Amino acid sequence: MSGRQRTLFQTWGPSLVRGAGAGVGSQARSPAVAEAPQEEDDDEVLLVAAYEAERQLDPEDGGFCAAAGAVWIYPTNCPVRDYQLHISRTALFCNTLVCLPTGLGKTFIAAVVMYNFYRWFPSGKVVFMAPTKPLVTQQMEACFHVMGIPQSHMAEMTGSTQAVSRKDIWCSKRVLFLTPQVMVNDLTREACPAARIKCLVVDEAHKALGNYAYCQVVRELVKYTTHFRILALSATPGSDIKAVQQVITNLLIGKIELRSEDSPDILPYSHERRVEKLVVPLGEELGAIQKTYIQILETFASPLIQRNVLMKRDIPNLTKYQVILARDQFRKNPSPNIVGIQQGIIEGEFAICISLYHGYELLQQMGMRSLYFFLSGIMDGTKGMTRARNELGRNEDFMKLYNHLESVFAHVRDPSAIDASAFKKGNKEKNFFYSHPKLKKLEEVIIEHFRSWNAKNTTGKKCLETRVMIFSSFRDSVEEIAEMLLQHQPVIRVMTFVGHASGKNTKGFTQKEQLEVVRQFRDGGYNTLVSTCVGEEGLDIGEVDLIICFDAQKSPIRLIQRMGRTGRRRQGRIVVILSEGREERTYNQSQSNKRNIYKAISGNRQVLHFYQGSPRMVPEKINPELHKMFITHGVYEPEKSRSVQRKSLSSRRG
């Protein structure tokens, strides 16, 4: 037999194949035969084995194959890690949320669990869901390299796969990798054989909140069957205890397997990640702008406070989120004294305040340039906020500030109009203006990193090159950072990494462009990547030595995801650059939330409520024994090259 199919025969047993051979002649060969059959023969023998296995299934056991179910297979082609073995065993018998720091093998565990359900339920379907197309593609290849499930049994489906094709794929393939929205659509259209799904893997499971597609999938699936295993994967379980409980409830989780960077069983396998917090004062110029901006906020927030629809507190300490909550409360419980046209006026005042507070956060975290681009979108009409533009245009303080910002930044191109080609050409921005003191600090950190790295590594070998990744939440800030670093070519070779276009006035990266940037970064074409949140989750961007976070988020998820980009194969360093004041407090709160979550999950007190109906999936009379096995697999062929081969083969036959 060819190496890639070897494990399937071993787990079903050679006798099964030999027994099947009586009915199909010489094509069904035993693995003991020295001469390896062609790939077409392999597939035919597999079909015979699957057919014979299905004939032995007991319908009362939900399609479980007792012959295969005597053991569960664990691969030894990678060094065996006790924590991965333990978590894999747990996940086979209970719906489990696996929370491991990035780079410590969540996908490996998923591949082990998927492979065993693929063996145990020969007529069942195994599904892996990931939130984005690039992740779907990446995880399919990763799972193949762990357990070697034949590619002829696997398929990838995203929104670009036609609905008719998807229905055929559901019928003909056994292991499916797809985005959750595709799964929702196919369940509601009844194109998906829901009752045959035996294992459902949910990647980036912390997203399973509210009405996110993951939640819809589980709700739809339980209408057809409750006899399926759920395995949820995430670097962090949630932003706070309430969010963690939501994920547990929405994904029917019966158990959490949680490890932090300090867990004793993962310490031998994780490289040190040093986290440094650098707090930067706003400085005189930015401080003066902020003072003026607060006066503008007071002008527009005061009417709402006087009407008792916005809380009476320090206006500089209000946040956009608090204003949104106040507006939502006003909509739910409007005062009987406020009717008709007055309601419309208050709605308009709330809209202006929310926009202004968004600008305030941009000013504090990102700087004057980000604020200018945001405000210019209102004032030039591209955001379509006519009332806000008219109201702000009548305010003398606002117009004075806006005209000042325009005089400084009007010559700079709007970042929404910049595409990848600008950086490929290496265009340098003349007379770069540092619109926030954090930019200077970031520049210092990166220059020092490259200087010290190059001083230590004088061999000039490509494999010893260092990589740096910078995260900022907003695209215009990403472009600003990249333009600043263009001044330091060729030592710093910078590229931006952003998501798809978010509207008709913004440009983004297509999936193809995203994958190309990641490939070039991994291969050394660029050594510095400046990314929005699209670079935080999942994608394999290779080894990164320095991560710089240019902003802070209240949710610890974002920082944990960012940290996971470094320290995979060697020591990593994470630098968080914070503005003095509110942003520093936000970061501290995020760290406190993270500690509380871990304490609640690992503590003795029962804070979380787990799903009690998690199916065992394995019949009570059967207890599969661990069988460690060296897994062999062939060369992975990407989807495109396989479809080209199929076309050329069919044309030759024709």
Side-chain angles (χ1 to χ4, degrees), residues 7 11 71-75 112 115-116 119-120 147 625-629 631:
T7 58
T11 54
V71 296
W72 69 276
I73 304 294
Y74 190 84
V112 172
Y115 177 72
N116 282 286
R119 292 174 48 253
W120 289 350
M147 298 304 293
E625 290 184 15
L626 167 63
H627 181 67
K628 292 180 181 176
M629 178 183 288
I631 303 291

Side-chain angles (χ1 to χ4, degrees), residues 81 83-84 99-109 138-139 203-204 234-236 261 266 268-271 273 536-543 560-570:
R81 298 181 178 183
Y83 72 91
Q84 289 179 328
C99 297
L100 278 176
T102 303
L104 286 168
K106 291 185 292 294
T107 305
F108 178 91
I109 291 165
Q138 178 182 295
Q139 299 294 43
D203 200 13
E204 307 294 354
S234 182
T236 175
E261 291 87 351
I266 70 163
Y269 309 103
S270 59
H271 296 274
R273 293 175 178 143
E536 292 172 359
E537 294 185 341
L539 278 178
D540 180 14
I541 55 166
E543 188 59 33
I560 290 167
Q561 296 281 8
R562 291 174 177 186
M563 285 173 62
R565 304 293 100 196
T566 189
R568 294 188 173 204
R569 295 184 188 91
R570 55 189 183 224

Side-chain angles (χ1 to χ4, degrees), residues 541-559:
I541 55 166
E543 188 59 33
V544 178
D545 301 294
L546 173 64
I547 297 286
I548 299 178
C549 302
F550 194 68
D551 58 1
Q553 303 292 323
K554 246 182 194 158
S555 167
I557 293 172
R558 302 284 294 277
L559 182 63

Side-chain angles (χ1 to χ4, degrees), residues 234-251:
S234 182
T236 175
S239 56
D240 53 36
I241 296 298
K242 191 178 175 184
V244 177
Q245 182 60 64
Q246 267 199 68
V247 171
I248 289 169
T249 303
N250 291 336
L251 298 182

Side-chain angles (χ1 to χ4, degrees), residues 204-243:
E204 307 294 354
H206 56 271
K207 291 179 175 290
L209 303 172
N211 203 38
Y212 186 75
Y214 284 157
C215 311
Q216 295 178 52
V217 167
V218 175
R219 283 200 300 269
E220 284 296 316
L221 208 47
V222 295
K223 292 177 184 176
Y224 298 91
T225 177
T226 55
H227 194 254
F228 62 94
R229 170 69 62 245
I230 293 180
L231 170 59
L233 312 172
S234 182
T236 175
S239 56
D240 53 36
I241 296 298
K242 191 178 175 184

